[in-house]
Amino acid sequence: VQLQASGGGLVQAGGSLRLSCAASGSAFTVNSIGWYRQAPGKQREVVAIIYTGRPTIYAESVKGRFTISGDNAKTTVSLQMNNLKPEDTAVYYCNAFVIPSTEPAIPKWYWGQGTQVTVSS
């Protein structure tokens, strides 16, 4: 399974950006898919995740500003980021928990390549 992320860039505070991620491969089911971010000198943190059978979650710091959406199969996911703040500056990573459809059906985490989001004040 491969995760291909796109979007990101440089924006002024108060602006908007949209990130997208697509999962590709063969014979798998996505159990959850979402976004993490890592700012310089900080640990990677959850931004938003869509789950199967569980509510979508958001980091408290992005609630009301970011919206995650995905297709029914959760093979594509987008993160609409509005009212961006300088503290949102980070490398954003797409992440998915995938269950193979063929044996051995061992679930596995996958990461996409990071995409830089920079918010200037």
Side-chain angles (χ1 to χ4, degrees):
V1 175
Q2 291 187 330
L3 300 178
Q4 182 66 45
S6 61
L10 172 65
V11 66
Q12 289 188 332
S16 298
L17 285 173
R18 186 177 183 87
L19 305 181
S20 296
C21 177
S24 62
S26 60
F28 63 91
T29 300
V30 177
N31 180 264
S32 67
I33 190 166
W35 295 91
Y36 286 68
R37 68 186 180 185
Q38 187 166 20
K42 295 188 177 181
Q43 290 188 333
R44 193 171 295 189
E45 63 178 3
V46 170
V47 178
I49 302 176
I50 297 176
Y51 291 94
T52 298
R54 292 171 56 187
T56 298
I57 66 167
Y58 290 90
E60 285 294 326
S61 60
V62 307
K63 282 183 178 179
R65 301 188 297 121
F66 291 11
T67 303
I68 190 171
S69 59
D71 63 352
N72 287 338
K74 294 185 288 298
T75 54
T76 60
V77 65
S78 294
L79 184 69
Q80 178 65 41
M81 305 183 293
N82 297 327
N83 190 22
L84 282 159
K85 303 176 180 180
E87 51 264 42
D88 294 317
T89 296
V91 178
Y92 285 68
Y93 297 91
C94 180
N95 169 270
F97 188 58
V98 173
I99 304 171
S101 301
T102 57
E103 296 295 335
I106 300 173
K108 184 177 177 181
W109 293 99
Y110 290 88
W111 292 92
Q113 84 281 13
T115 184
Q116 178 71 45
V117 171
T118 302
V119 184
S120 63
S121 57

